[in-house]
């Protein structure tokens, strides 16, 4: 187990000194990767346990959102064949608006009246803790809880927000993939090039962590947009996020399918 600032010889004393011991203590003790918070979050432990597939079985993995290279990092030479389906033409229209950050703090400082004019009354997928800030926000489907829902099929929807994850997730994923940098990784506001665009965001300086961070944001946006089934249905999905996704890259007629203020690289 990698050293994430926890000395396992001191587990008993650490837990005894905690103000509120975690409810899922057994999962914590069985975790393979543990990250302890700092400062006010010192009593917070983030942990993960990697799924180990049986070595004597052939396994097929089907995924619409996880990059193949992540599996290659985790399973190495166990990966015998990979197949990637290139983007196909959609029947629906996806329009992306990147002029604002649409972060949680940005939404708190934007009036509902302003948002209402942009969202046209269509159902909106956003952050779980921003449901009361976004007009027509859906209760029960939000960033972090998107997979498997089909009841938005063939409906015009809005996706509101850039779905950053907790930084602990990026670091734990890097550990599981064997790509974690030594020391405390630095994150700052910088310009990056990705998906054919140049844009600025709060991102890790380390290349592997940056790739993991961006890939998870892209996957969450894909899941959100996918709820309307724009591949098969003539719908319009408006994405309000500062992150220019690679999704809406196909044009149909004279419709503008990709609207972004990000620079093409």
């Amino acid at each position: 187990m990698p050293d994430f600032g926890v000395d396992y010889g001191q587990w008993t004393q650490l837990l005894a000194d905690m103000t509120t011991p975690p409810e899922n203590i057994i999962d914590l003790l069985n975790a393979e990767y543990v990250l302890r918070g700092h400062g006010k979050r010192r009593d917070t432990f983030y942990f993960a346990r990697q799924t180990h597939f049986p070595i004597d079985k052939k396994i097929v993995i089907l995924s619409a959102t996880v990059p193949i290279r992540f599996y290659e990092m985790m399973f190495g030479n166990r990966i015998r064949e990979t197949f990637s389906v290139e983007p196909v033409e959609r029947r629906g229209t996806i329009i992306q608006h990147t002029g604002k950050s649409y972060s949680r703090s940005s939404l708190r400082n934007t009036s509902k009246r302003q948002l209402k004019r942009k969202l046209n009354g269509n159902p909106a997928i956003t952050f779980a803790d921003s449901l009361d800030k976004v007009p027509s926000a859906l209760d029960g489907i939000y960033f972090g809880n998107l997979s498997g829902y089909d009841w938005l099929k063939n409906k015009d929807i809005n996706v509101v927000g850039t779905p950053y994850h907790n930084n602990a997730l990026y670091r734990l994923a890097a550990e599981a993939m064997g790509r974690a940098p030594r020391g405390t990784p630095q994150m700052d506001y910088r310009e990056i090039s990705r998906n054919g665009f140049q844009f600025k965001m709060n991102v890790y300086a380390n290349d592997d962590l940056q790739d993991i961070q961006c890939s998870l944001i892209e996957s969450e946006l894909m899941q959100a947009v996918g709820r309307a089934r724009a591949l098969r249905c003539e719908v319009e999905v408006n994405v309000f996020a500062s992150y220019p996704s690679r999704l809406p890259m196909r044009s149909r007629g004279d419709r503008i399918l990709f609207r972004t203020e990000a620079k093409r690289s």
Side-chain angles (χ1 to χ4, degrees):
M1 180 186 243
D3 181 9
F4 269 70
V6 176
D7 180 350
Y8 290 92
Q10 299 177 353
W11 265 120
T12 302
Q13 189 60 47
L14 277 171
L15 295 172
D17 291 344
M18 291 175 68
T19 306
T20 307
E23 296 178 2
N24 46 356
I25 186 67
I26 300 301
D27 291 334
L28 172 61
L29 294 175
N30 287 321
E32 294 180 74
Y33 309 101
V34 179
L35 177 65
R36 187 176 189 178
H38 298 280
K40 293 181 179 179
R41 294 182 178 270
R42 186 166 174 76
D43 280 357
T44 301
F45 289 83
Y46 305 94
F47 57 90
R49 186 174 184 179
Q50 187 173 338
T51 299
H52 296 277
F53 295 145
I55 61 175
D56 58 343
K57 303 291 183 182
K58 293 182 178 181
I59 298 170
V60 176
I61 300 173
L62 302 176
S63 175
T65 56
V66 178
I68 291 174
R69 62 186 177 279
F70 284 9
Y71 289 110
E72 292 172 337
M73 289 179 191
M74 294 183 70
F75 301 112
N77 58 13
R78 289 199 64 190
I79 303 292
R80 296 304 174 89
E81 290 185 278
T82 60
F83 302 92
S84 179
V85 178
E86 295 301 317
V88 297
E89 188 169 1
R90 294 173 176 82
R91 298 185 65 185
T93 302
I94 303 173
I95 305 174
Q96 186 160 260
H97 311 262
T98 61
K100 294 183 63 176
S101 69
Y102 298 102
S103 62
R104 289 176 175 85
S105 60
S106 173
L107 292 175
R108 284 194 296 269
N109 296 321
T110 303
S111 70
K112 271 194 169 184
R113 181 178 296 179
Q114 288 177 290
L115 284 172
K116 191 173 183 179
R117 285 199 299 267
K118 294 182 178 182
L119 303 184
N120 297 321
N122 292 327
I125 295 173
T126 188
F127 306 102
D129 55 3
S130 298
L131 299 179
D132 60 334
K133 307 290 191 304
V134 178
S136 304
L138 296 165
D139 188 8
I141 176 170
Y142 42 81
F143 292 135
N145 181 39
L146 295 169
S147 300
Y149 294 102
D150 199 47
W151 50 273
L152 289 173
K153 178 180 178 181
N154 205 27
K155 294 182 179 180
D156 294 343
I157 66 171
N158 298 300
V159 177
V160 184
T162 303
Y164 287 90
H165 297 272
N166 189 304
N167 291 344
L169 175 60
Y170 307 134
R171 295 182 63 186
L172 289 170
E175 281 292 338
M177 296 177 196
R179 292 294 192 273
R182 293 184 177 182
T184 302
Q186 298 301 310
M187 175 183 282
D188 55 27
Y189 190 68
R190 65 176 60 212
E191 185 173 278
I192 66 170
S193 296
R194 196 171 175 91
N195 301 326
F197 292 92
Q198 288 181 298
F199 55 98
K200 291 184 177 181
M201 64 179 290
N202 283 313
V203 68
Y204 282 106
N206 177 270
D207 289 340
D208 288 321
L209 276 172
Q210 185 179 122
D211 185 32
I212 292 170
Q213 179 185 354
C214 292
S215 294
L216 291 177
I217 291 173
E218 291 163 5
S219 295
E220 197 72 3
L221 287 173
M222 286 184 199
Q223 286 286 349
V225 169
R227 297 313 92 205
R229 308 304 187 200
L231 188 68
R232 303 186 298 273
C233 301
E234 297 247 1
V235 295
E236 181 173 289
V237 180
N238 281 273
V239 182
F240 297 86
S242 61
Y243 191 100
S245 166
R246 67 179 182 271
L247 278 167
M249 299 299 289
R250 182 77 66 171
S251 63
R252 178 166 56 87
D254 58 357
R255 293 293 300 277
I256 298 175
L257 300 194
F258 191 78
R259 180 183 302 147
T260 179
E261 287 74 22
K263 296 182 294 183
R264 290 188 182 276
S265 60

